[in-house]
Amino acid sequence: MRGAIALIWLLLLLTACQDKSAESGQAVSDAAPVSSQSTNNETQEMVDLLASLTDSNNFQEQWHQNRRKAEYLEKLISQSNNIAQKIQLQFQAGVEWLNAGEFDKSIALFKSVIDLHESKKVSLNAQSLNGFKELLAVSYLRKGEIENCVHHHNQQSCILPLDKSAVHKKRKGSEAALKIYEELLIQDPANLQNKWLYNLAQMTLGNYPDKVKPQFKLAESIFDSDYQLMPFEDVAMSAKVATNDISGGCIVDDFNKDGLLDIMASSYGLEDQIHYYENLGNGQFKDKTASAGLNGIVSGLNLCQADYNNDGHLDFIVLRGAWFGKAGEHPNSLIKNNGDGTFSDVTKSSGIFSLKPTQTAAWGDVNNDGWLDLFVGNETGNSGSYQSELFINQKNGTFVESAEQYGIRLNAFVKGSSWGDINNDGYLDLYISNLSGNNLLYQNLGPENEYRFKEIAQSAGVQKPSMSFPCWFWDYNNDGYDDIYVNSFDVRDFTVASGKVAADYLNRDVQTEYSCLYQNNGDNTFSNVTQKTKVDKVLYTMGCNFADIDNDGYQDFYASTGTPDFRAVFPNRMFRNNQGQYFQDVTTSTRTGHIQKGHGVGFGDLDNDGDEDMYVVLGGSYAGDNFMNALFKNPGQGNNWISLTLTGDDCNKSAIGSRIKIEGILPNGKPMVIHRTVNSGASFGASSLRQEIGLGQLEKINIEVKWHGGSEVTVLKNVAVNKHYGLLEGDTVLSEARFRGFEF
């Protein structure tokens, strides 16, 4: 089976203000500064290098080179005279045509083998026959999705529970799938995966729940939200940001400094163009990719932003080669914002060029010198060992790789990374998720130890799960200490994930690894509060991020879910933080339960109305598993808020790592304290560095900002709420920013 083949491959892989400058009086290294005159040539060099990767002959090792694989298998079929071998090759070719999005070809191949069995020209055992039927059914189901949800896309497409406008008008795909699932369920009514997909097919035809046979029906109540919020609305199509690609990353932030948050989106395919969408402030975005000089900057499973050179303009890094092993020896790209609407690739001249597979990186000022450093977590597997990297900023546009010097010698299948301060000592610590073993926590030992790191995950109690994906630091309970959330991605379940998700919805015991929420105990140890906080859900999170979606002062999160397998069809999930006590599933009430595979997630107030909207990159790992990205407009939930843009001076310009404390008195007389740290959120998808903070019913607040890297603390009293503010390090007064708002 296709998923089984992919899983075997994966398991084999697993085993194995004022600018800072020389004139400012700050120390500058002896390394040669980057010349702006060379950046255009350097960008073209990167474009040429990326283009050359598509001509490589290692397509067998790359997940999304499905057409080439299918065509190769077709040749082998024509050359074979052995019936058993031909059937096996037909199966594999059918899988690759399915992966490539050529559903008619996969349907024809799967049907031909089933027809041979039914005519008794060959004999298949029950398991093999059902395997062909399952893949035939999902080929029909996916064909129906393409014909309806893609070709006739609307705001409600593929969001559970399906709206009437999302019911398929071209019905043949789902009807054919339904017939096969019913046949399979008659044989094995206990098969939850087939039952789940059968009910889903009924939903696409508008038959659920009334016309579903009782013995096969999943109760409507299993999808009910734990708490009611106002529904979000997918406005990506009207806003012109509904990129139709496969999995990738995104950034929501203000790249041109006009007070409007823009969107940067990438896609995993080797030839997939990065897109830069500039916010026009009228409910629409304009694709400025070409004029920004980004044409030819392709591929990339993840993105993250920071002002690495302290010039006041947001730059970003593109991460490439993930999952490919040795075939993923692709360059990352450091993209410099030129401040004039254009960008340049400065990967080589900056010193971060390397050829290692990765999808995760994190910006943070490791040595508190006011300049952002960069951790890149690489993927070590059976096909190659790739040490992770720590690039130390030399304060002149260049970096020096210094991981071992700083005590980080790491060869692991790294899938997530995040900086936080676990003990409030002012020094950034690093949490790393590992898909093939224990997770790691590197404690920063501070200046007396030359900022070297010590690995303490075991003593801290944060090693699990052993198959992890995105992770993040946050203060989920507002107690002033950074907690950790790390998402599980149990690779053993790739082909059966829908069945396990269904079992979880039905409150049955599920044999799988769960994500972990670790509460900081304040003494360099953590407590696993996953069950206590009700986040022990079967999610298979690929991308994710956190934000305060209802502005109540507590941060919630969104999990973009799925596995590469086409049978992995289940909703992405939204969870509301109930005052730091536990989390509530609000997926259906918020109308964010998209059933297409989810990847990068970025939150930000895109329409400047005081609540955080959400951009989600949709699509899977294979060439034919594409879908339109979603932009979910937050309707607002009736609470107060404040927006705060920090600009560092001694601190890094982006103010990443700076801590914000807000205090106030609620109308009922109770005090409320809110804690935030400036960062882009989780490790797969990047939210705005502008701090958009929900205040609940607070009407006057006091703010304390502890700027990262020093002793500077800014205290602001009696601040008015529901306003956008800017604050420059060293100032004692907020500057009100009159960002223009608009309606989508």
Side-chain angles (χ1 to χ4, degrees):
M1 299 168 73
R2 177 186 61 79
I5 293 168
L7 180 55
I8 291 169
W9 177 89
L10 179 61
L11 289 174
L12 287 173
L13 185 64
L14 289 180
T15 28
C17 175
Q18 290 178 345
D19 297 344
K20 292 181 178 176
S21 62
E23 289 77 12
S24 69
Q26 304 244 353
V28 178
S29 80
D30 294 331
V34 177
S35 168
S36 60
Q37 297 176 355
S38 68
T39 55
N40 287 338
N41 290 336
E42 189 173 352
T43 300
Q44 188 59 50
E45 288 176 13
M46 178 59 73
V47 168
D48 294 341
L49 175 55
L50 295 175
S52 72
L53 298 176
T54 65
D55 299 326
S56 63
N57 293 317
N58 57 8
F59 66 90
Q60 294 285 13
E61 300 179 58
Q62 295 176 345
W63 285 54
H64 53 263
Q65 295 287 340
N66 309 112
R67 177 177 290 277
R68 295 176 69 181
K69 293 178 188 178
E71 291 170 344
Y72 173 74
L73 290 164
E74 293 272 20
K75 289 180 182 178
L76 295 182
I77 292 170
S78 66
Q79 297 168 2
S80 176
N81 294 316
N82 182 299
I83 187 64
Q85 183 185 54
K86 286 178 78 77
I87 288 174
Q88 179 62 28
L89 290 170
Q90 281 181 288
F91 178 85
Q92 294 175 9
V95 164
E96 292 304 337
W97 284 125
L98 170 60
N99 296 348
E102 296 283 356
F103 309 113
D104 288 333
K105 291 183 178 181
S106 66
I107 287 168
L109 281 168
F110 294 139
K111 282 185 69 176
S112 68
V113 176
I114 295 170
D115 290 343
L116 284 173
H117 173 81
E118 291 178 349
S119 65
K120 299 186 178 178
K121 292 180 180 178
V122 299
S123 179
L124 299 174
N125 61 40
Q127 183 177 2
S128 297
L129 179 61
N130 286 345
F132 274 98
K133 289 182 177 179
E134 285 184 16
L135 287 172
L136 177 59
V138 83
S139 296
Y140 278 124
L141 198 61
R142 181 61 179 169
K143 178 180 170 69
E145 288 179 345
I146 295 297
E147 290 177 341
N148 293 274
C149 303
V150 174
H151 293 168
H152 300 280
H153 187 70
N154 64 49
Q155 293 175 323
Q156 301 298 333
S157 293
C158 291
I159 297 174
L160 290 186
L162 290 185
D163 184 82
K164 289 181 180 179
S165 64
V167 171
H168 290 188
K169 292 180 172 59
K170 293 188 176 182
R171 301 170 62 87
K172 290 184 178 179
S174 286
E175 286 175 343
L178 197 62
K179 183 177 178 181
I180 298 169
Y181 285 128
E182 188 165 324
E183 177 186 336
L184 291 168
L185 284 171
I186 289 171
Q187 295 177 33
D188 182 9
N191 188 311
L192 271 182
Q193 178 149 290
N194 287 335
K195 183 178 287 189
W196 175 270
L197 294 171
Y198 164 85
N199 278 265
L200 185 63
Q202 293 281 27
M203 292 178 193
T204 66
L205 294 170
N207 296 336
Y208 181 87
D210 297 336
K211 297 179 182 179
V212 180
K213 293 184 177 180
Q215 67 270 35
F216 302 143
K217 183 167 69 174
L218 294 172
E220 289 179 276
S221 59
I222 68 173
F223 300 107
D224 290 347
S225 285
D226 299 326
Y227 186 89
Q228 293 302 308
L229 289 175
M230 295 286 288
F232 286 52
E233 181 182 4
D234 180 8
V235 297
M237 291 288 285
S238 61
K240 302 186 184 302
V241 292
T243 309
N244 183 8
D245 268 324
I246 58 173
S247 55
C250 66
I251 301 168
V252 173
D253 219 318
D254 185 0
F255 285 97
N256 59 356
K257 300 181 69 173
D258 65 351
L260 297 165
L261 300 183
D262 311 302
I263 295 171
M264 197 77 67
S266 69
S267 180
Y268 188 37
L270 294 184
E271 298 177 280
D272 292 350
Q273 175 65 53
I274 281 178
H275 290 278
Y276 170 45
Y277 296 110
E278 186 177 288
N279 192 335
L280 300 179
N282 61 0
Q284 293 188 346
F285 292 73
K286 184 173 183 178
D287 192 333
K288 289 289 193 74
T289 306
S291 62
L294 291 170
N295 270 358
I297 301 298
V298 295
S299 191
L301 192 53
N302 199 6
L303 310 169
C304 54
Q305 84 278 26
D307 181 0
Y308 79 90
N309 57 359
N310 282 333
D311 67 352
H313 304 290
L314 275 181
D315 318 293
F316 66 99
I317 187 169
V318 186
L319 301 159
R320 302 189 179 97
W323 299 107
F324 293 161
K326 188 171 182 58
E329 293 180 348
H330 299 171
N332 301 321
S333 282
L334 179 59
I335 306 295
K336 175 180 176 291
N337 187 335
N338 299 321
D340 59 0
T342 69
F343 296 83
S344 298
D345 191 301
V346 294
T347 310
K348 287 189 176 180
S349 58
S350 68
I352 74 158
F353 182 87
S354 67
L355 298 173
K356 300 177 181 180
T358 183
Q359 73 171 51
T360 187
W363 296 97
D365 182 0
V366 170
N367 51 13
N368 287 10
D369 65 354
W371 296 76
L372 290 170
D373 311 299
L374 177 68
F375 173 79
V376 179
N378 296 311
E379 297 179 355
T380 288
N382 196 46
S383 65
S385 180
Y386 301 97
Q387 188 165 328
S388 292
E389 297 155 307
L390 179 62
F391 294 100
I392 299 299
N393 198 322
Q394 302 301 294
K395 309 179 184 178
N396 64 350
T398 70
F399 296 80
V400 172
E401 203 290 306
S402 309
E404 290 195 43
Q405 176 186 334
Y406 279 78
I408 299 176
R409 184 175 179 83
L410 176 62
N411 292 77
F413 204 100
V414 179
K415 297 307 292 181
S417 57
S418 184
W419 296 105
D421 183 357
I422 64 170
N423 51 12
N424 291 344
D425 63 357
Y427 311 122
L428 288 182
D429 312 301
L430 179 64
Y431 188 74
I432 294 169
S433 74
N434 180 7
L435 196 64
S436 60
N438 291 329
N439 300 322
L440 302 109
L441 176 58
Y442 286 96
Q443 181 186 358
N444 189 329
L445 300 179
E448 60 271 24
N449 294 287
E450 299 179 317
Y451 298 99
R452 287 178 62 84
F453 290 88
K454 177 183 179 182
E455 205 287 300
I456 62 166
Q458 182 175 8
S459 62
V462 293
Q463 289 184 310
K464 299 303 177 186
S466 59
M467 287 178 279
S468 302
F469 216 113
C471 59
W472 64 75
F473 279 103
W474 62 343
D475 186 357
Y476 85 92
N477 56 358
N478 280 331
D479 67 351
Y481 286 93
D482 280 345
D483 311 300
I484 296 171
Y485 188 84
V486 54
N487 292 271
S488 168
F489 195 60
D490 196 329
V491 299
R492 298 167 299 185
D493 298 342
F494 269 21
T495 64
V496 296
S498 284
K500 297 207 170 186
V501 168
D504 188 49
Y505 268 101
L506 293 166
N507 292 318
R508 299 183 186 179
D509 290 334
V510 182
Q511 296 301 310
T512 191
E513 277 207 307
Y514 288 91
S515 303
C516 292
L517 176 57
Y518 293 111
Q519 181 177 315
N520 195 327
N521 298 323
D523 59 1
N524 287 352
T525 71
F526 294 76
S527 296
N528 189 332
V529 294
T530 307
Q531 287 187 308
K532 175 184 174 183
T533 56
K534 300 183 180 181
V535 291
D536 51 340
K537 306 294 184 184
V538 179
L539 295 177
Y540 303 104
T541 308
M542 295 190 291
C544 56
N545 224 314
F546 58 90
D548 184 357
I549 62 167
D550 59 351
N551 280 345
D552 69 345
Y554 292 89
Q555 291 179 305
D556 319 295
F557 72 95
Y558 188 74
S560 279
T561 65
T563 80
D565 196 280
F566 269 99
R567 288 161 292 188
V569 186
F570 39 84
N572 303 318
R573 308 274 288 276
M574 182 76 84
F575 292 91
R576 175 185 181 266
N577 186 340
N578 186 27
Q579 297 187 332
Q581 301 301 309
Y582 60 90
F583 289 81
Q584 300 161 313
D585 189 325
V586 292
T587 305
T588 52
S589 72
T590 56
R591 297 288 299 161
T592 54
H594 216 295
I595 60 174
Q596 295 295 327
K597 295 180 176 67
H599 281 83
V601 178
F603 283 96
D605 185 4
L606 286 154
D607 52 3
N608 283 337
D609 65 352
D611 49 55
E612 293 181 274
D613 311 298
M614 178 176 69
Y615 189 75
V616 186
V617 176
L618 297 169
S621 302
Y622 297 117
D625 204 359
N626 57 293
F627 204 80
M628 285 83 161
N629 295 347
L631 171 53
F632 288 103
K633 171 183 164 47
N634 191 330
Q637 308 292 337
N639 285 315
N640 294 327
W641 53 274
I642 186 173
S643 166
L644 191 58
T645 302
L646 302 184
T647 302
D649 186 20
D650 290 332
C651 173
N652 67 86
K653 199 75 153 184
S654 300
I656 289 174
S658 298
R659 309 287 288 266
I660 301 168
K661 180 180 179 181
I662 293 176
E663 295 180 298
I665 303 297
L666 293 166
N668 62 10
K670 293 184 177 180
M672 184 175 186
V673 181
I674 299 166
H675 292 272
R676 295 289 184 270
T677 301
V678 179
N679 56 43
S680 61
S683 54
F684 202 155
S687 298
S688 169
L689 295 175
R690 180 197 296 174
Q691 294 303 290
E692 294 149 351
I693 305 171
L695 302 174
Q697 295 302 305
L698 293 177
E699 295 179 351
K700 283 284 184 180
I701 57 174
N702 298 328
I703 302 175
E704 177 184 290
V705 177
K706 183 176 183 181
W707 299 87
H708 179 71
S711 58
E712 181 78 25
V713 177
T714 303
V715 177
L716 305 152
K717 299 285 188 179
N718 297 316
V719 177
V721 303
N722 299 333
K723 294 178 181 292
H724 299 274
Y725 294 105
L727 180 64
L728 176 65
E729 183 181 6
D731 285 357
T732 57
V733 179
L734 290 170
S735 172
E736 185 174 348
R738 298 191 180 279
F739 298 148
R740 64 184 185 273
F742 59 88
E743 289 290 332
F744 279 111

Short mmCIF file of all heavy atoms in Angstrom, two decimals, residues 700-720:
data_model
loop_
_atom_site.label_atom_id
_atom_site.label_comp_id
_atom_site.label_asym_id
_atom_site.label_seq_id
_atom_site.Cartn_x
_atom_site.Cartn_y
_atom_site.Cartn_z
N LYS A 700 -8.25 49.56 32.00
CA LYS A 700 -7.03 50.34 32.19
C LYS A 700 -5.94 49.36 32.60
O LYS A 700 -6.18 48.46 33.42
CB LYS A 700 -7.18 51.42 33.27
CG LYS A 700 -7.95 52.65 32.83
CD LYS A 700 -7.08 53.55 31.93
CE LYS A 700 -7.84 54.84 31.58
NZ LYS A 700 -7.03 55.72 30.72
N ILE A 701 -4.74 49.55 32.05
CA ILE A 701 -3.69 48.57 32.34
C ILE A 701 -2.37 49.25 32.64
O ILE A 701 -2.12 50.39 32.23
CB ILE A 701 -3.50 47.60 31.16
CG1 ILE A 701 -3.17 48.36 29.86
CG2 ILE A 701 -4.73 46.72 30.97
CD1 ILE A 701 -2.83 47.46 28.69
N ASN A 702 -1.53 48.53 33.36
CA ASN A 702 -0.14 48.89 33.54
C ASN A 702 0.71 47.90 32.76
O ASN A 702 0.41 46.69 32.75
CB ASN A 702 0.26 48.86 35.02
CG ASN A 702 -0.53 49.86 35.84
OD1 ASN A 702 -0.90 50.93 35.34
ND2 ASN A 702 -0.81 49.52 37.10
N ILE A 703 1.75 48.38 32.11
CA ILE A 703 2.60 47.53 31.28
C ILE A 703 4.04 47.62 31.76
O ILE A 703 4.55 48.70 32.06
CB ILE A 703 2.55 47.96 29.79
CG1 ILE A 703 1.11 47.92 29.27
CG2 ILE A 703 3.45 47.08 28.94
CD1 ILE A 703 0.97 48.46 27.84
N GLU A 704 4.67 46.45 31.84
CA GLU A 704 6.10 46.39 32.13
C GLU A 704 6.79 45.63 31.00
O GLU A 704 6.38 44.52 30.66
CB GLU A 704 6.35 45.68 33.46
CG GLU A 704 7.82 45.52 33.81
CD GLU A 704 8.01 44.72 35.09
OE1 GLU A 704 7.69 45.25 36.17
OE2 GLU A 704 8.46 43.55 35.00
N VAL A 705 7.80 46.23 30.39
CA VAL A 705 8.56 45.58 29.31
C VAL A 705 9.99 45.38 29.79
O VAL A 705 10.69 46.34 30.14
CB VAL A 705 8.56 46.43 28.02
CG1 VAL A 705 9.41 45.75 26.95
CG2 VAL A 705 7.14 46.63 27.52
N LYS A 706 10.41 44.13 29.82
CA LYS A 706 11.80 43.80 30.12
C LYS A 706 12.47 43.48 28.79
O LYS A 706 12.21 42.46 28.18
CB LYS A 706 11.90 42.63 31.07
CG LYS A 706 13.34 42.31 31.47
CD LYS A 706 13.42 41.20 32.51
CE LYS A 706 14.86 40.97 32.92
NZ LYS A 706 14.98 39.87 33.92
N TRP A 707 13.34 44.38 28.35
CA TRP A 707 13.97 44.25 27.04
C TRP A 707 15.03 43.14 27.09
O TRP A 707 15.84 43.09 28.02
CB TRP A 707 14.59 45.57 26.61
CG TRP A 707 13.56 46.65 26.48
CD1 TRP A 707 13.11 47.48 27.47
CD2 TRP A 707 12.85 46.99 25.31
NE1 TRP A 707 12.15 48.33 26.99
CE2 TRP A 707 11.96 48.06 25.65
CE3 TRP A 707 12.85 46.54 24.00
CZ2 TRP A 707 11.11 48.65 24.73
CZ3 TRP A 707 12.00 47.12 23.07
CH2 TRP A 707 11.14 48.16 23.43
N HIS A 708 15.01 42.29 26.09
CA HIS A 708 15.91 41.14 26.12
C HIS A 708 17.38 41.58 26.01
O HIS A 708 17.73 42.46 25.23
CB HIS A 708 15.62 40.17 24.96
CG HIS A 708 16.55 39.00 24.97
ND1 HIS A 708 16.47 38.01 25.92
CD2 HIS A 708 17.58 38.67 24.16
CE1 HIS A 708 17.42 37.12 25.70
NE2 HIS A 708 18.11 37.50 24.62
N GLY A 709 18.19 40.91 26.82
CA GLY A 709 19.63 41.09 26.70
C GLY A 709 20.23 42.10 27.63
O GLY A 709 21.45 42.32 27.62
N GLY A 710 19.43 42.72 28.47
CA GLY A 710 19.98 43.73 29.36
C GLY A 710 19.10 43.96 30.57
O GLY A 710 18.17 43.21 30.85
N SER A 711 19.39 45.04 31.27
CA SER A 711 18.67 45.36 32.50
C SER A 711 17.57 46.38 32.27
O SER A 711 16.85 46.74 33.21
CB SER A 711 19.64 45.90 33.56
OG SER A 711 20.31 47.05 33.06
N GLU A 712 17.43 46.85 31.04
CA GLU A 712 16.45 47.88 30.73
C GLU A 712 15.03 47.37 30.97
O GLU A 712 14.62 46.34 30.44
CB GLU A 712 16.59 48.33 29.28
CG GLU A 712 15.64 49.43 28.87
CD GLU A 712 16.07 50.80 29.36
OE1 GLU A 712 17.28 51.00 29.59
OE2 GLU A 712 15.20 51.67 29.50
N VAL A 713 14.26 48.08 31.78
CA VAL A 713 12.86 47.76 32.03
C VAL A 713 12.05 49.05 31.85
O VAL A 713 12.39 50.09 32.43
CB VAL A 713 12.63 47.20 33.45
CG1 VAL A 713 11.14 46.94 33.69
CG2 VAL A 713 13.42 45.91 33.64
N THR A 714 11.01 48.97 31.04
CA THR A 714 10.13 50.11 30.81
C THR A 714 8.81 49.87 31.52
O THR A 714 8.20 48.82 31.34
CB THR A 714 9.89 50.32 29.31
OG1 THR A 714 11.14 50.48 28.64
CG2 THR A 714 9.02 51.54 29.06
N VAL A 715 8.37 50.84 32.30
CA VAL A 715 7.12 50.73 33.04
C VAL A 715 6.17 51.84 32.55
O VAL A 715 6.56 53.02 32.49
CB VAL A 715 7.34 50.85 34.55
CG1 VAL A 715 6.00 50.80 35.29
CG2 VAL A 715 8.26 49.74 35.04
N LEU A 716 4.97 51.44 32.20
CA LEU A 716 3.97 52.37 31.66
C LEU A 716 2.69 52.22 32.47
O LEU A 716 2.18 51.10 32.66
CB LEU A 716 3.72 52.06 30.19
CG LEU A 716 4.98 52.05 29.32
CD1 LEU A 716 4.81 51.13 28.14
CD2 LEU A 716 5.29 53.47 28.85
N LYS A 717 2.13 53.31 32.95
CA LYS A 717 0.98 53.29 33.84
C LYS A 717 -0.28 53.81 33.15
O LYS A 717 -0.21 54.70 32.30
CB LYS A 717 1.26 54.15 35.08
CG LYS A 717 2.44 53.69 35.92
CD LYS A 717 2.11 52.45 36.74
CE LYS A 717 3.23 52.13 37.73
NZ LYS A 717 2.90 50.94 38.54
N ASN A 718 -1.41 53.23 33.55
CA ASN A 718 -2.74 53.71 33.12
C ASN A 718 -2.85 53.84 31.60
O ASN A 718 -3.23 54.89 31.07
CB ASN A 718 -3.06 55.05 33.80
CG ASN A 718 -3.14 54.93 35.30
OD1 ASN A 718 -3.75 53.99 35.82
ND2 ASN A 718 -2.54 55.87 36.00
N VAL A 719 -2.53 52.77 30.94
CA VAL A 719 -2.57 52.76 29.48
C VAL A 719 -3.99 52.48 29.00
O VAL A 719 -4.65 51.54 29.48
CB VAL A 719 -1.60 51.69 28.92
CG1 VAL A 719 -1.70 51.62 27.41
CG2 VAL A 719 -0.18 52.01 29.38
N ALA A 720 -4.45 53.25 28.05
CA ALA A 720 -5.79 53.04 27.48
C ALA A 720 -5.79 51.82 26.58
O ALA A 720 -4.80 51.53 25.89
CB ALA A 720 -6.22 54.28 26.69
#
